[in-house]
Amino acid sequence: MNSIRPLLVVLGVLITSLQSSEASENKPNIVLIMADDVGCDAIGCYGGQSYPTPHIDALAAGGMKFNHGYSMPVCHPSRICMMTGRYPFRFGKQGLKWGDYPTAAEGISIGNRMKQAGYATAVAGKWQVCTMKNDLDHPRRVGFDEWCLFGWHEGGRYNDPLIYQNGKVREGVSGKYGPDLYVDFLVNFMQRSQDSDKPFFAYYPMALCHDVTDDLKDQHVAYYKDGRWMTYGEMVASMDDMVGRLAQALDRMGVRNETLIIFTTDNGTPGASYLNVDENGKMVRPKVFSIRNGKIVPGGKGKHDDTGTRVPLIANWPGHIKSGKVVNDMVDLTDYLPTVAEIAGLKDDGVTRDGISFAPILFGQKRSRTRPWVYCEHNKKRSVRSLDWRLYDDGRFFDLKNDPTEQFRIKRDQLDLDTLRNYLQLQIVLEEMQLN
């Protein structure tokens, strides 16, 4: 009996080791990146010509690029969609309140789901779904083992940042650059997860490229250099650098072929970005323009049209996603939770969500359910868009195939049978959304 017991212990260790190895092999690591305030016009592989984005472009060249990725028009509702797989209005007033997170979503959020799949989970960057000084443990309740975040209008996000890390205010940030700290934190987390043979889910809601905000009572947040903050172009360059650093870290760890990277953004490029302070101490916000495919594109953040809600979506997983693939399937931010859950091997949890997994598309298959439209809401305004049409809740209707910049509203007396059919289909969707 005494001789059998050590053998049983060894056998148990071997089984645990094999299970861990099997889990690691069957479940890819997932790095989900959501940049802030970056439209397609700012990214080279989408025709952007104003700012070099070599690392992001490389992900597209070696993976899959979606032509029809969509977001909400602004930051907060986009984050609710990403985190919950639901449109914000589904949660009532709490889903629509800026800087808040619906309590009904705690336990069913994207981090919770990935933990259920056996992943180590971490988030770093911009939170904006609670004021963290009042809720230091919030990321844990929505499924993250570790976090390194600035909350919402509490201090700097770039130079001398105010960061909450694992329930405490992080010290030693004077003279430091926030995006460096967020990436270093995630790289350390990924390395430790890899060393323990556990698949990891690293969510990186970037601070870049949102401009600074006036969050300090008696002074402005720290400057970048020469008495100014970063230009939009400098932030885009830094964003691309951070994405490259994460990909390079995966290469160094030897897990690049075992890791799915998804890159998207929370809304379009801003119309303006704070740069400096005038002689009266007022923050100056120059306008932001980009050149895309030879045309000047003003920033459209806050708008429902394509400049505000059509965003990059790139997926890269060497050996699993075909390189250089371009697809035209529609995807919005509610689709990410069911997608990573499916890739992680999770079964349906019975929770009603708006999102539809696009995991099959990544591997050259068809979705069991297609997405014929995407929905947008912001500031009590709503719209619904199909591939070729957009309808607003005030009745404005546009033919996007022939009028992509929405310059010419289609009037009721201009509705031929085909146009009328598309109008009625979108009207039904919009009415259903307004009733719920």
Side-chain angles (χ1 to χ4, degrees), residues 69-205:
Y70 293 91
S71 68
M72 291 291 169
V74 290
C75 307
H76 180 81
S78 285
R79 290 162 204 283
I80 299 297
C81 290
M82 175 69 81
M83 289 284 293
T84 70
R86 290 178 175 176
Y87 298 123
F89 78 90
R90 303 287 191 195
F91 298 101
K93 292 182 179 179
Q94 199 176 26
L96 300 172
K97 183 181 177 184
W98 278 70
D100 203 354
Y101 191 78
T103 53
E106 295 181 5
I108 61 170
S109 299
I110 194 167
N112 302 119
R113 289 292 279 154
M114 297 308 287
K115 279 185 66 67
Q116 292 166 13
Y119 279 70
T121 59
V123 57
K126 174 181 177 178
W127 197 226
Q128 201 183 324
V129 289
C130 80
T131 304
M132 294 203 70
K133 66 181 179 182
N134 298 328
D135 197 349
L136 293 173
D137 207 44
H138 184 249
R140 191 180 306 282
R141 297 202 306 277
V142 294
F144 291 101
D145 299 318
E146 303 179 31
W147 59 93
C148 176
L149 300 161
F150 78 91
W152 188 64
H153 288 284
E154 297 174 76
R157 67 193 74 190
Y158 296 130
N159 297 89
D160 301 342
L162 173 59
I163 293 177
Y164 296 92
Q165 184 165 317
N166 298 335
K168 299 179 180 179
V169 175
R170 179 165 174 167
E171 298 179 352
V173 298
S174 179
K176 299 293 180 65
Y177 179 55
D180 284 336
L181 301 181
Y182 309 137
V183 167
D184 289 344
F185 178 88
L186 287 177
V187 170
N188 179 270
F189 159 76
M190 294 188 301
Q191 184 64 67
R192 287 184 287 106
S193 300
Q194 174 65 16
D195 292 343
S196 62
D197 291 324
K198 191 168 186 178
F200 55 78
F201 174 64
Y203 177 37
Y204 183 26

Side-chain angles (χ1 to χ4, degrees), residues 100-353:
D100 203 354
Y101 191 78
T103 53
E106 295 181 5
I108 61 170
S109 299
I110 194 167
N112 302 119
R113 289 292 279 154
M114 297 308 287
K115 279 185 66 67
Q116 292 166 13
Y119 279 70
T121 59
V123 57
K126 174 181 177 178
W127 197 226
Q128 201 183 324
V129 289
C130 80
T131 304
M132 294 203 70
K133 66 181 179 182
N134 298 328
D135 197 349
L136 293 173
D137 207 44
H138 184 249
R140 191 180 306 282
R141 297 202 306 277
V142 294
F144 291 101
D145 299 318
E146 303 179 31
W147 59 93
C148 176
L149 300 161
F150 78 91
W152 188 64
H153 288 284
E154 297 174 76
R157 67 193 74 190
Y158 296 130
N159 297 89
D160 301 342
L162 173 59
I163 293 177
Y164 296 92
Q165 184 165 317
N166 298 335
K168 299 179 180 179
V169 175
R170 179 165 174 167
E171 298 179 352
V173 298
S174 179
K176 299 293 180 65
Y177 179 55
D180 284 336
L181 301 181
Y182 309 137
V183 167
D184 289 344
F185 178 88
L186 287 177
V187 170
N188 179 270
F189 159 76
M190 294 188 301
Q191 184 64 67
R192 287 184 287 106
S193 300
Q194 174 65 16
D195 292 343
S196 62
D197 291 324
K198 191 168 186 178
F200 55 78
F201 174 64
Y203 177 37
Y204 183 26
M206 303 182 78
L208 297 156
C209 300
H210 195 296
D211 57 355
V212 301
T213 46
D214 196 6
D215 296 329
L216 302 179
K217 291 182 178 180
D218 302 320
Q219 59 182 343
H220 297 293
V221 296
Y223 293 116
Y224 167 56
K225 65 179 181 181
D226 301 327
R228 66 171 179 85
W229 298 292
M230 285 188 287
T231 66
Y232 186 74
E234 287 169 332
M235 288 190 286
V236 171
S238 183
M239 170 194 68
D240 187 73
D241 179 56
M242 299 302 156
V243 172
R245 284 174 56 183
L246 282 176
Q248 291 158 10
L250 294 169
D251 285 332
R252 290 196 304 272
M253 286 186 272
V255 296
R256 185 65 191 85
N257 292 346
E258 302 164 26
T259 305
L260 167 64
I261 297 177
I262 301 176
F263 173 85
T264 190
T265 75
D266 66 348
N267 51 247
T269 300
S273 183
Y274 286 121
L275 182 63
N276 55 14
V277 176
D278 65 18
E279 61 275 10
N280 298 316
K282 184 177 180 180
M283 297 171 71
V284 178
R285 202 176 204 185
K287 291 184 178 181
V288 174
F289 295 89
S290 303
I291 298 175
R292 184 186 186 196
N293 296 324
K295 296 181 180 180
I296 297 175
V297 181
K301 176 182 177 178
K303 297 180 179 179
H304 284 242
D305 67 17
D306 281 3
T307 63
T309 59
R310 192 168 178 177
V311 295
L313 167 53
I314 296 165
N316 183 293
W317 183 8
H320 298 268
I321 296 176
K322 289 185 178 180
S323 62
K325 185 73 174 177
V326 179
V327 296
N328 289 313
D329 297 73
M330 299 185 84
V331 173
D332 77 12
L333 292 181
T334 64
D335 296 336
Y336 288 72
L337 188 154
T339 298
V340 296
E342 180 177 343
I343 292 171
L346 286 173
K347 296 181 179 179
D348 184 10
D349 59 356
V351 175
T352 301
R353 295 187 174 90

